[in-house]
Structure formats: C-alpha cells, structure tokens
Amino acid sequence: MIRNPWIFSTALLLLIFLGTSCDEKSAEDYLSETSIDLAIPSQFSEPDIPTDNLPTQERIELGRALFLDPILSIDSSVSCATCHKAELAFADDVAISEGVDGRLGLRNAPSLFNVAWLGLIFKDGGVPHLDRQAIVPIEDENEMGFNMSALLDRLRVHPEYPQMARVAYGRELDAWVVNRALANFQRSLISGSSAFDAYEAGQGDLSEQAKLGKAIFDVHCSSCHSGPHFSNLEFENNGLYEQYTDVGRQRISQAASDAGKFRVAPLRNVGITAPYMHDGSLADLEAVIEHYNSGGENHPNKNESLEPLGLNAEEKAALLAFLKTLTESSLVTE
C-alpha cells in the first residue's frame, strides 16, 4: 500500500522534463538528502539516529508503505500493521498475535511508540539496533515466515518500491534498504502528549484521584518505571512466575541470573495496550496492579525491591486513574 504516490510520479515527471532515461542515471542521482526534524517532545532526549539513516520524508514514506504491506510475509497475509495496530498505540489486543497460517508468535506485541529510544530491541534485548530489527519478524516462521532473499526478489518487481528505494537511499532495493526504511518509519512514531504531560507542563490538571495515584506510583513504581518513557529500560524479573517457560533475557546472555528477565515495559499509552506482560497473561490494568500489590511469585532473580504493597481498594483505584493519564490524548476514546 503506497500512501504517497506523488513521490514516484514527481520523480518520473522530472526525468521526462530533463529528457533523461532511467538507464542513464545512477541510483545516487535520485537520492533525496534533505533530512527532517522529528517532532520530539521537549521532555525527551534526542534519540540516537545513525548518520546513514537520518530521517527524510522519502525514507519514512517507504518505511510506512512496507510496514502496511502484507507483501513482507510469505503468503502476503500478514503485515507489520497486523500485529501493531495504530489505534492501539501500535500494539495488539490479544495475548499473542497470529502470524502466517494462524501460527502464534512467542510474545505479546509491544507498542512501537518511542521505539527510537529503546537501544536494545525486543523484550529480551536480542537485537542490538533498530536498523537491524525488521529481518527478525520477516524470517520468523511464526510471524511472517519468509526469507529475505525471496522477499527482495518479490519487492524488486514491484511497480513502485524499487524507485522509492532509489529516491530514499540512492541505491537499489536490498536488505539494507528494507531494514533501514522500516526503522526510519518506526522512529517517526513518537508519543508524548498525554494528560500527564499537559499537567507537568502546567497546561492542564489531573483529578484528585489521579494525583493520589501519582503519589503512590512515585513511591512504589518509579524506581523501575522512571524517566520520560516511564521505564529505566533495564531487564528485570518481576516475579510473574516461579518457573518461566520463556526465560527472557537468558535466551540472549545464557546467564542463569537473567532467567525470567524482560525489559521494564515503558508505560506510555498503557491504558490501551492490554493485555500485559511479556506473554499477555494479565488481561487488564487492574490485574497488573493486583500482581504488584501481591508482591509477585518467588523467583531467585526477582527484583529485590518487589514486595507486597498493601494497597487498599481506594489506593488501587487511584493508581489505576493515574496510569490512564499516561495515554496519548489523541488515542483516548472514553
């Protein structure tokens, strides 16, 4: 699905005007090098963006088109947007999303908002950089089930993608372009305009209940859910199970001390990204609050700061009210 067909038509009209055929120009001749400024909220730091993949409108448009297109899956049935729905903060509303042939993936699909600030990618940090992320779901047999080489054969005969790649990156369409265009689009997904942000900026107010919830959050939750993304981005075991079927960070490090550890989930837009936890096992925010209020299950790697909170019904309701203020205002439908 091409969201901006003018990119292709404008380039073609320019060639006609100049009286020059495509064969007489190299890929570099099409390159647009005009980078754009991402709309970064003032409370966020500058993201770490590689100099060879600075954001341009053309790169974002190519990435968006690929993100929405099921052509990336082996049977053209699943796109990135299938499991990362824009109306759900680019997350999903099921515990585990279905890939090709109805196969279930490994983990709950996370929100993609603010992924530019994550550093290590995926809940276990298994990919070192966003620019290398896309190949994983493309080649995962339970997600898109494809092969990058075969995908490139398909993309290179597409009526628009090869030209868009030349305009965006000044090179022929290859795995480097696919990975980086998708990363470029994902970096443009930025969320920092919640009711809480307006309150912090002195441009809005919170209910007294939500203010009480914030005070409770600051005491009991902010050591891990800290900073503008409400996550320290570290890997922690939160006592979800005594024994983990999915060992999380240990799959990458092979260290027993990492068993059951997953990235501390950023909490922006948490009000619309249910179900929760790495496996989607907690259906709603009330269940999440109950989990932490209980102190969680015993596990040798559980974060030692996790102890029963002893919150009463009023305090739990207040904490819930505060968490709901962290959702992007434009996404709130209540």
Side-chain angles (χ1 to χ4, degrees):
M1 178 177 181
I2 305 300
R3 297 292 294 273
N4 239 353
W6 65 266
I7 294 177
F8 176 72
S9 59
T10 301
L12 181 59
L13 287 172
L14 180 59
L15 290 175
I16 294 173
F17 177 77
L18 294 176
T20 306
S21 71
C22 291
D23 292 338
E24 293 172 338
K25 299 178 78 67
S26 67
E28 288 78 5
D29 291 319
Y30 296 97
L31 178 61
S32 170
E33 295 180 331
T34 305
S35 63
I36 62 174
D37 291 327
L38 298 176
I40 299 173
S42 60
Q43 67 271 35
F44 289 9
S45 63
E46 289 290 327
D48 181 17
I49 301 178
T51 56
D52 64 359
N53 199 21
L54 295 176
T56 70
Q57 192 61 44
E58 293 80 6
R59 292 171 180 179
I60 291 172
E61 288 297 333
L62 174 57
R64 178 186 288 112
L66 291 171
F67 186 90
L68 295 170
D69 199 335
I71 196 173
L72 298 189
S73 61
I74 190 169
D75 59 0
S76 296
S77 66
V78 175
S79 71
C80 303
T82 300
C83 303
H84 297 281
K85 298 176 174 65
E87 67 273 19
L88 299 175
F90 293 93
D92 207 352
D93 56 1
V94 295
I96 306 294
S97 303
E98 288 188 358
V100 295
D101 296 327
R103 301 171 193 160
L104 294 180
L106 176 64
R107 296 176 182 146
N108 178 254
S111 169
L112 297 183
F113 271 126
N114 304 327
V115 70
W117 284 269
L118 286 187
L120 299 176
I121 306 301
F122 297 133
K123 293 177 188 288
D124 58 13
V127 173
H129 203 280
L130 186 60
D131 289 60
R132 305 174 194 173
Q133 173 267 335
I135 193 172
V136 177
I138 289 171
E139 296 200 338
D140 189 309
E141 64 179 359
N142 295 319
E143 295 190 44
M144 294 179 168
F146 213 1
N147 170 280
M148 181 60 80
S149 178
L151 170 60
L152 291 173
D153 289 340
R154 182 185 290 180
L155 294 177
R156 285 166 180 158
V157 297
H158 188 275
E160 298 186 37
Y161 287 137
Q163 177 72 356
M164 293 179 74
R166 295 186 192 104
V167 171
Y169 287 101
R171 60 191 286 162
E172 299 304 315
L173 208 160
D174 56 13
W176 191 96
V177 167
V178 171
N179 277 288
R180 280 157 181 78
L182 283 164
N184 216 298
F185 170 63
Q186 290 180 77
R187 286 194 185 95
S188 74
L189 304 177
I190 299 173
S191 176
S193 300
S194 66
F196 172 76
D197 294 300
Y199 170 71
E200 287 288 283
Q203 299 172 355
D205 200 4
L206 300 180
S207 69
E208 292 305 311
Q209 185 184 43
K211 289 177 182 176
L212 172 60
K214 180 182 182 302
I216 294 169
F217 182 92
D218 288 344
V219 172
H220 296 295
C221 312
S222 62
S223 61
C224 291
H225 293 284
S226 57
H229 306 293
F230 297 92
S231 172
N232 59 12
L233 304 182
E234 299 294 332
F235 300 92
E236 300 287 355
N237 181 309
N238 70 349
L240 188 61
Y241 300 111
E242 287 189 9
Q243 293 184 327
Y244 284 76
T245 302
D246 180 349
V247 296
R249 182 68 177 163
Q250 187 184 24
R251 296 180 72 225
I252 307 305
S253 69
Q254 298 299 302
S257 59
D258 280 336
K261 289 187 177 181
F262 298 87
R263 176 186 284 109
V264 174
L267 297 184
R268 285 192 172 273
N269 302 303
V270 71
I272 59 170
T273 57
Y276 305 98
M277 303 297 161
H278 70 275
D279 57 357
S281 59
L282 299 185
D284 50 39
L285 284 174
E286 288 87 346
V288 173
I289 291 171
E290 286 295 343
H291 166 72
Y292 286 108
N293 198 42
S294 73
E297 301 291 339
N298 292 322
H299 189 282
N301 294 337
K302 186 174 76 171
N303 186 304
E304 60 185 18
S305 68
L306 292 178
E307 297 179 350
L309 304 181
L311 302 180
N312 61 33
E314 179 185 2
E315 291 167 329
K316 288 187 285 187
L319 182 55
L320 176 64
F322 170 69
L323 291 174
K324 288 183 176 181
T325 71
L326 304 182
T327 296
E328 180 83 27
S329 303
S330 63
L331 297 172
V332 176
T333 58
E334 296 181 348

